[in-house]
mmCIF file of all heavy atoms in Angstrom:
data_model
loop_
_atom_site.group_PDB
_atom_site.id
_atom_site.type_symbol
_atom_site.label_atom_id
_atom_site.label_comp_id
_atom_site.label_asym_id
_atom_site.label_seq_id
_atom_site.Cartn_x
_atom_site.Cartn_y
_atom_site.Cartn_z
ATOM 1 N N ASP A 388 -62.097 -25.924 -17.114
ATOM 2 C CA ASP A 388 -61.903 -27.056 -16.271
ATOM 3 C C ASP A 388 -61.981 -26.612 -14.804
ATOM 4 O O ASP A 388 -62.252 -25.461 -14.507
ATOM 5 C CB ASP A 388 -60.644 -27.843 -16.569
ATOM 6 C CG ASP A 388 -59.347 -27.148 -16.195
ATOM 7 O OD1 ASP A 388 -59.389 -26.024 -15.575
ATOM 8 O OD2 ASP A 388 -58.279 -27.656 -16.514
ATOM 9 N N HIS A 389 -61.690 -27.541 -13.866
ATOM 10 C CA HIS A 389 -61.747 -27.279 -12.429
ATOM 11 C C HIS A 389 -60.734 -26.245 -11.977
ATOM 12 O O HIS A 389 -60.835 -25.747 -10.860
ATOM 13 C CB HIS A 389 -61.642 -28.601 -11.646
ATOM 14 C CG HIS A 389 -60.383 -29.379 -11.992
ATOM 15 N ND1 HIS A 389 -60.237 -30.073 -13.142
ATOM 16 C CD2 HIS A 389 -59.205 -29.524 -11.282
ATOM 17 C CE1 HIS A 389 -59.027 -30.639 -13.149
ATOM 18 N NE2 HIS A 389 -58.411 -30.290 -12.041
ATOM 19 N N LEU A 390 -59.780 -25.963 -12.805
ATOM 20 C CA LEU A 390 -58.794 -24.877 -12.500
ATOM 21 C C LEU A 390 -59.011 -23.628 -13.343
ATOM 22 O O LEU A 390 -58.142 -22.801 -13.406
ATOM 23 C CB LEU A 390 -57.377 -25.449 -12.660
ATOM 24 C CG LEU A 390 -56.977 -26.564 -11.683
ATOM 25 C CD1 LEU A 390 -55.654 -27.129 -12.083
ATOM 26 C CD2 LEU A 390 -56.947 -26.045 -10.280
ATOM 27 N N ASP A 391 -60.155 -23.585 -13.987
ATOM 28 C CA ASP A 391 -60.522 -22.472 -14.868
ATOM 29 C C ASP A 391 -59.672 -22.306 -16.114
ATOM 30 O O ASP A 391 -59.506 -21.223 -16.649
ATOM 31 C CB ASP A 391 -60.599 -21.123 -14.051
ATOM 32 C CG ASP A 391 -61.476 -20.114 -14.732
ATOM 33 O OD1 ASP A 391 -62.487 -20.511 -15.363
ATOM 34 O OD2 ASP A 391 -61.192 -18.913 -14.662
ATOM 35 N N ARG A 392 -59.057 -23.386 -16.526
ATOM 36 C CA ARG A 392 -58.281 -23.401 -17.785
ATOM 37 C C ARG A 392 -59.216 -23.773 -18.923
ATOM 38 O O ARG A 392 -60.127 -24.575 -18.747
ATOM 39 C CB ARG A 392 -57.172 -24.406 -17.717
ATOM 40 C CG ARG A 392 -56.140 -24.190 -16.613
ATOM 41 C CD ARG A 392 -55.135 -25.311 -16.500
ATOM 42 N NE ARG A 392 -55.834 -26.527 -16.100
ATOM 43 C CZ ARG A 392 -55.201 -27.679 -15.823
ATOM 44 N NH1 ARG A 392 -53.933 -27.767 -15.922
ATOM 45 N NH2 ARG A 392 -55.888 -28.743 -15.464
ATOM 46 N N THR A 393 -58.987 -23.252 -20.085
ATOM 47 C CA THR A 393 -59.764 -23.599 -21.277
ATOM 48 C C THR A 393 -59.311 -24.982 -21.749
ATOM 49 O O THR A 393 -58.142 -25.250 -21.947
ATOM 50 C CB THR A 393 -59.566 -22.577 -22.427
ATOM 51 O OG1 THR A 393 -59.999 -21.301 -21.926
ATOM 52 C CG2 THR A 393 -60.394 -22.957 -23.626
ATOM 53 N N VAL A 394 -60.285 -25.830 -21.963
ATOM 54 C CA VAL A 394 -60.016 -27.201 -22.456
ATOM 55 C C VAL A 394 -59.846 -27.115 -23.976
ATOM 56 O O VAL A 394 -60.742 -26.682 -24.688
ATOM 57 C CB VAL A 394 -61.157 -28.131 -22.085
ATOM 58 C CG1 VAL A 394 -61.000 -29.523 -22.699
ATOM 59 C CG2 VAL A 394 -61.288 -28.242 -20.577
ATOM 60 N N GLU A 395 -58.691 -27.553 -24.451
ATOM 61 C CA GLU A 395 -58.346 -27.479 -25.896
ATOM 62 C C GLU A 395 -58.969 -28.579 -26.703
ATOM 63 O O GLU A 395 -59.363 -28.421 -27.812
ATOM 64 C CB GLU A 395 -56.860 -27.420 -26.086
ATOM 65 C CG GLU A 395 -56.140 -26.257 -25.357
ATOM 66 C CD GLU A 395 -56.548 -24.925 -25.916
ATOM 67 O OE1 GLU A 395 -56.860 -24.770 -27.088
ATOM 68 O OE2 GLU A 395 -56.600 -23.965 -25.064
ATOM 69 N N ALA A 396 -59.024 -29.806 -26.090
ATOM 70 C CA ALA A 396 -59.593 -31.004 -26.765
ATOM 71 C C ALA A 396 -60.368 -31.769 -25.768
ATOM 72 O O ALA A 396 -60.102 -31.670 -24.524
ATOM 73 C CB ALA A 396 -58.497 -31.834 -27.338
ATOM 74 N N PRO A 397 -61.411 -32.492 -26.168
ATOM 75 C CA PRO A 397 -62.185 -33.257 -25.175
ATOM 76 C C PRO A 397 -61.274 -34.113 -24.352
ATOM 77 O O PRO A 397 -60.301 -34.694 -24.803
ATOM 78 C CB PRO A 397 -63.097 -34.128 -26.053
ATOM 79 C CG PRO A 397 -63.146 -33.421 -27.372
ATOM 80 C CD PRO A 397 -61.829 -32.737 -27.533
ATOM 81 N N ARG A 398 -61.659 -34.244 -23.034
ATOM 82 C CA ARG A 398 -60.860 -35.060 -22.151
ATOM 83 C C ARG A 398 -61.695 -35.516 -20.957
ATOM 84 O O ARG A 398 -62.735 -34.943 -20.691
ATOM 85 C CB ARG A 398 -59.571 -34.380 -21.714
ATOM 86 C CG ARG A 398 -59.757 -33.210 -20.800
ATOM 87 C CD ARG A 398 -58.452 -32.581 -20.388
ATOM 88 N NE ARG A 398 -58.605 -31.728 -19.294
ATOM 89 C CZ ARG A 398 -58.109 -30.514 -19.198
ATOM 90 N NH1 ARG A 398 -57.364 -30.056 -20.164
ATOM 91 N NH2 ARG A 398 -58.334 -29.787 -18.138
ATOM 92 N N ALA A 399 -61.192 -36.499 -20.218
ATOM 93 C CA ALA A 399 -61.774 -36.960 -19.014
ATOM 94 C C ALA A 399 -60.783 -36.720 -17.890
ATOM 95 O O ALA A 399 -59.720 -37.324 -17.847
ATOM 96 C CB ALA A 399 -62.093 -38.441 -19.112
ATOM 97 N N ASP A 400 -61.148 -35.803 -16.965
ATOM 98 C CA ASP A 400 -60.269 -35.417 -15.858
ATOM 99 C C ASP A 400 -60.588 -36.255 -14.618
ATOM 100 O O ASP A 400 -61.716 -36.303 -14.180
ATOM 101 C CB ASP A 400 -60.429 -33.967 -15.518
ATOM 102 C CG ASP A 400 -59.926 -33.012 -16.577
ATOM 103 O OD1 ASP A 400 -59.012 -33.427 -17.322
ATOM 104 O OD2 ASP A 400 -60.394 -31.834 -16.676
ATOM 105 N N VAL A 401 -59.578 -36.844 -14.024
ATOM 106 C CA VAL A 401 -59.687 -37.522 -12.760
ATOM 107 C C VAL A 401 -59.387 -36.513 -11.644
ATOM 108 O O VAL A 401 -58.359 -35.811 -11.678
ATOM 109 C CB VAL A 401 -58.691 -38.703 -12.665
ATOM 110 C CG1 VAL A 401 -58.668 -39.321 -11.293
ATOM 111 C CG2 VAL A 401 -59.031 -39.725 -13.742
ATOM 112 N N VAL A 402 -60.305 -36.418 -10.690
ATOM 113 C CA VAL A 402 -60.151 -35.451 -9.586
ATOM 114 C C VAL A 402 -60.564 -36.137 -8.274
ATOM 115 O O VAL A 402 -61.245 -37.193 -8.297
ATOM 116 C CB VAL A 402 -60.951 -34.182 -9.783
ATOM 117 C CG1 VAL A 402 -60.485 -33.418 -11.017
ATOM 118 C CG2 VAL A 402 -62.465 -34.476 -9.883
ATOM 119 N N GLY A 403 -60.253 -35.549 -7.155
ATOM 120 C CA GLY A 403 -60.767 -36.003 -5.854
ATOM 121 C C GLY A 403 -60.292 -37.393 -5.479
ATOM 122 O O GLY A 403 -61.036 -38.147 -4.841
ATOM 123 N N VAL A 404 -59.099 -37.767 -5.847
ATOM 124 C CA VAL A 404 -58.573 -39.130 -5.557
ATOM 125 C C VAL A 404 -58.209 -39.185 -4.077
ATOM 126 O O VAL A 404 -57.463 -38.378 -3.565
ATOM 127 C CB VAL A 404 -57.315 -39.458 -6.416
ATOM 128 C CG1 VAL A 404 -56.767 -40.816 -6.071
ATOM 129 C CG2 VAL A 404 -57.689 -39.334 -7.893
ATOM 130 N N PHE A 405 -58.755 -40.188 -3.397
ATOM 131 C CA PHE A 405 -58.462 -40.363 -2.001
ATOM 132 C C PHE A 405 -58.628 -41.851 -1.604
ATOM 133 O O PHE A 405 -59.608 -42.458 -1.960
ATOM 134 C CB PHE A 405 -59.383 -39.550 -1.123
ATOM 135 C CG PHE A 405 -59.194 -39.744 0.382
ATOM 136 C CD1 PHE A 405 -58.013 -39.263 0.979
ATOM 137 C CD2 PHE A 405 -60.076 -40.400 1.149
ATOM 138 C CE1 PHE A 405 -57.790 -39.467 2.330
ATOM 139 C CE2 PHE A 405 -59.900 -40.580 2.503
ATOM 140 C CZ PHE A 405 -58.736 -40.130 3.133
ATOM 141 N N ILE A 406 -57.608 -42.347 -0.890
ATOM 142 C CA ILE A 406 -57.683 -43.643 -0.276
ATOM 143 C C ILE A 406 -57.374 -43.405 1.237
ATOM 144 O O ILE A 406 -56.400 -42.816 1.570
ATOM 145 C CB ILE A 406 -56.615 -44.653 -0.857
ATOM 146 C CG1 ILE A 406 -56.703 -44.730 -2.390
ATOM 147 C CG2 ILE A 406 -56.718 -46.000 -0.158
ATOM 148 C CD1 ILE A 406 -57.938 -45.346 -2.938
ATOM 149 N N ALA A 407 -58.264 -43.907 2.068
ATOM 150 C CA ALA A 407 -58.090 -43.741 3.513
ATOM 151 C C ALA A 407 -56.750 -44.393 3.932
ATOM 152 O O ALA A 407 -56.354 -45.409 3.352
ATOM 153 C CB ALA A 407 -59.239 -44.393 4.272
ATOM 154 N N PRO A 408 -56.039 -43.772 4.886
ATOM 155 C CA PRO A 408 -54.715 -44.266 5.238
ATOM 156 C C PRO A 408 -54.685 -45.800 5.556
ATOM 157 O O PRO A 408 -53.737 -46.492 5.091
ATOM 158 C CB PRO A 408 -54.374 -43.455 6.534
ATOM 159 C CG PRO A 408 -55.089 -42.178 6.302
ATOM 160 C CD PRO A 408 -56.405 -42.545 5.625
ATOM 161 N N ALA A 409 -55.646 -46.310 6.228
ATOM 162 C CA ALA A 409 -55.669 -47.756 6.603
ATOM 163 C C ALA A 409 -55.865 -48.633 5.404
ATOM 164 O O ALA A 409 -55.598 -49.820 5.432
ATOM 165 C CB ALA A 409 -56.766 -47.986 7.632
ATOM 166 N N ALA A 410 -56.365 -48.066 4.302
ATOM 167 C CA ALA A 410 -56.669 -48.873 3.110
ATOM 168 C C ALA A 410 -55.611 -48.748 2.016
ATOM 169 O O ALA A 410 -55.687 -49.375 0.953
ATOM 170 C CB ALA A 410 -58.020 -48.444 2.557
ATOM 171 N N ARG A 411 -54.618 -47.931 2.209
ATOM 172 C CA ARG A 411 -53.590 -47.712 1.209
ATOM 173 C C ARG A 411 -52.717 -48.930 1.006
ATOM 174 O O ARG A 411 -52.463 -49.669 1.966
ATOM 175 C CB ARG A 411 -52.728 -46.501 1.555
ATOM 176 C CG ARG A 411 -53.499 -45.218 1.510
ATOM 177 C CD ARG A 411 -52.761 -43.982 1.878
ATOM 178 N NE ARG A 411 -53.677 -42.851 1.891
ATOM 179 C CZ ARG A 411 -53.533 -41.792 2.627
ATOM 180 N NH1 ARG A 411 -52.490 -41.619 3.415
ATOM 181 N NH2 ARG A 411 -54.445 -40.807 2.578
ATOM 182 N N GLY A 412 -52.333 -49.182 -0.233
ATOM 183 C CA GLY A 412 -51.475 -50.322 -0.543
ATOM 184 C C GLY A 412 -52.187 -51.609 -0.787
ATOM 185 O O GLY A 412 -51.554 -52.634 -0.927
ATOM 186 N N ALA A 413 -53.502 -51.574 -0.846
ATOM 187 C CA ALA A 413 -54.329 -52.753 -1.032
ATOM 188 C C ALA A 413 -54.883 -52.898 -2.415
ATOM 189 O O ALA A 413 -55.729 -53.719 -2.682
ATOM 190 C CB ALA A 413 -55.418 -52.845 0.005
ATOM 191 N N GLY A 414 -54.461 -52.053 -3.347
ATOM 192 C CA GLY A 414 -54.927 -52.134 -4.761
ATOM 193 C C GLY A 414 -56.190 -51.354 -5.010
ATOM 194 O O GLY A 414 -56.738 -51.487 -6.122
ATOM 195 N N LEU A 415 -56.683 -50.590 -4.066
ATOM 196 C CA LEU A 415 -57.923 -49.835 -4.302
ATOM 197 C C LEU A 415 -57.742 -48.765 -5.351
ATOM 198 O O LEU A 415 -58.700 -48.498 -6.103
ATOM 199 C CB LEU A 415 -58.436 -49.228 -2.997
ATOM 200 C CG LEU A 415 -59.014 -50.233 -2.015
ATOM 201 C CD1 LEU A 415 -59.498 -49.550 -0.762
ATOM 202 C CD2 LEU A 415 -60.122 -51.029 -2.650
ATOM 203 N N LEU A 416 -56.614 -48.073 -5.415
ATOM 204 C CA LEU A 416 -56.416 -47.039 -6.427
ATOM 205 C C LEU A 416 -56.591 -47.659 -7.812
ATOM 206 O O LEU A 416 -57.323 -47.075 -8.654
ATOM 207 C CB LEU A 416 -55.044 -46.406 -6.257
ATOM 208 C CG LEU A 416 -54.750 -45.341 -7.351
ATOM 209 C CD1 LEU A 416 -55.730 -44.172 -7.258
ATOM 210 C CD2 LEU A 416 -53.347 -44.807 -7.212
ATOM 211 N N ASP A 417 -55.984 -48.783 -8.020
ATOM 212 C CA ASP A 417 -56.120 -49.460 -9.344
ATOM 213 C C ASP A 417 -57.594 -49.756 -9.673
ATOM 214 O O ASP A 417 -58.066 -49.475 -10.799
ATOM 215 C CB ASP A 417 -55.388 -50.830 -9.353
ATOM 216 C CG ASP A 417 -53.908 -50.664 -8.993
ATOM 217 O OD1 ASP A 417 -53.595 -50.092 -7.940
ATOM 218 O OD2 ASP A 417 -53.091 -51.178 -9.793
ATOM 219 N N ARG A 418 -58.294 -50.277 -8.707
ATOM 220 C CA ARG A 418 -59.714 -50.681 -8.924
ATOM 221 C C ARG A 418 -60.615 -49.415 -9.157
ATOM 222 O O ARG A 418 -61.494 -49.428 -9.998
ATOM 223 C CB ARG A 418 -60.237 -51.483 -7.758
ATOM 224 C CG ARG A 418 -59.523 -52.851 -7.708
ATOM 225 C CD ARG A 418 -59.871 -53.666 -6.493
ATOM 226 N NE ARG A 418 -61.307 -53.858 -6.427
ATOM 227 C CZ ARG A 418 -61.943 -54.107 -5.275
ATOM 228 N NH1 ARG A 418 -61.305 -54.188 -4.118
ATOM 229 N NH2 ARG A 418 -63.265 -54.304 -5.276
ATOM 230 N N LEU A 419 -60.335 -48.341 -8.387
ATOM 231 C CA LEU A 419 -61.125 -47.120 -8.600
ATOM 232 C C LEU A 419 -60.808 -46.485 -9.951
ATOM 233 O O LEU A 419 -61.741 -46.009 -10.634
ATOM 234 C CB LEU A 419 -60.806 -46.113 -7.451
ATOM 235 C CG LEU A 419 -61.436 -46.481 -6.095
ATOM 236 C CD1 LEU A 419 -60.755 -45.696 -4.950
ATOM 237 C CD2 LEU A 419 -62.941 -46.200 -6.121
ATOM 238 N N ILE A 420 -59.541 -46.442 -10.337
ATOM 239 C CA ILE A 420 -59.176 -45.899 -11.637
ATOM 240 C C ILE A 420 -59.760 -46.750 -12.776
ATOM 241 O O ILE A 420 -60.288 -46.241 -13.768
ATOM 242 C CB ILE A 420 -57.634 -45.725 -11.796
ATOM 243 C CG1 ILE A 420 -57.167 -44.646 -10.854
ATOM 244 C CG2 ILE A 420 -57.242 -45.444 -13.243
ATOM 245 C CD1 ILE A 420 -57.592 -43.204 -11.178
ATOM 246 N N ASP A 421 -59.749 -48.045 -12.579
ATOM 247 C CA ASP A 421 -60.331 -48.946 -13.558
ATOM 248 C C ASP A 421 -61.828 -48.655 -13.766
ATOM 249 O O ASP A 421 -62.342 -48.623 -14.868
ATOM 250 C CB ASP A 421 -60.196 -50.433 -13.193
ATOM 251 C CG ASP A 421 -58.794 -50.940 -13.421
ATOM 252 O OD1 ASP A 421 -57.975 -50.266 -14.081
ATOM 253 O OD2 ASP A 421 -58.492 -52.046 -12.887
ATOM 254 N N ALA A 422 -62.537 -48.409 -12.675
ATOM 255 C CA ALA A 422 -63.998 -48.065 -12.710
ATOM 256 C C ALA A 422 -64.174 -46.749 -13.456
ATOM 257 O O ALA A 422 -65.047 -46.577 -14.334
ATOM 258 C CB ALA A 422 -64.617 -48.031 -11.335
#
Side-chain angles (χ1 to χ4, degrees):
D388 72 5
H389 56 285
L390 295 171
D391 202 33
R392 300 173 295 184
T393 301
V394 174
E395 301 297 327
R398 69 178 195 227
D400 290 334
V401 172
V402 298
V404 178
F405 177 69
I406 307 293
R411 292 179 185 153
L415 289 180
L416 178 62
D417 303 54
R418 293 174 58 205
L419 286 162
I420 292 293
D421 286 347

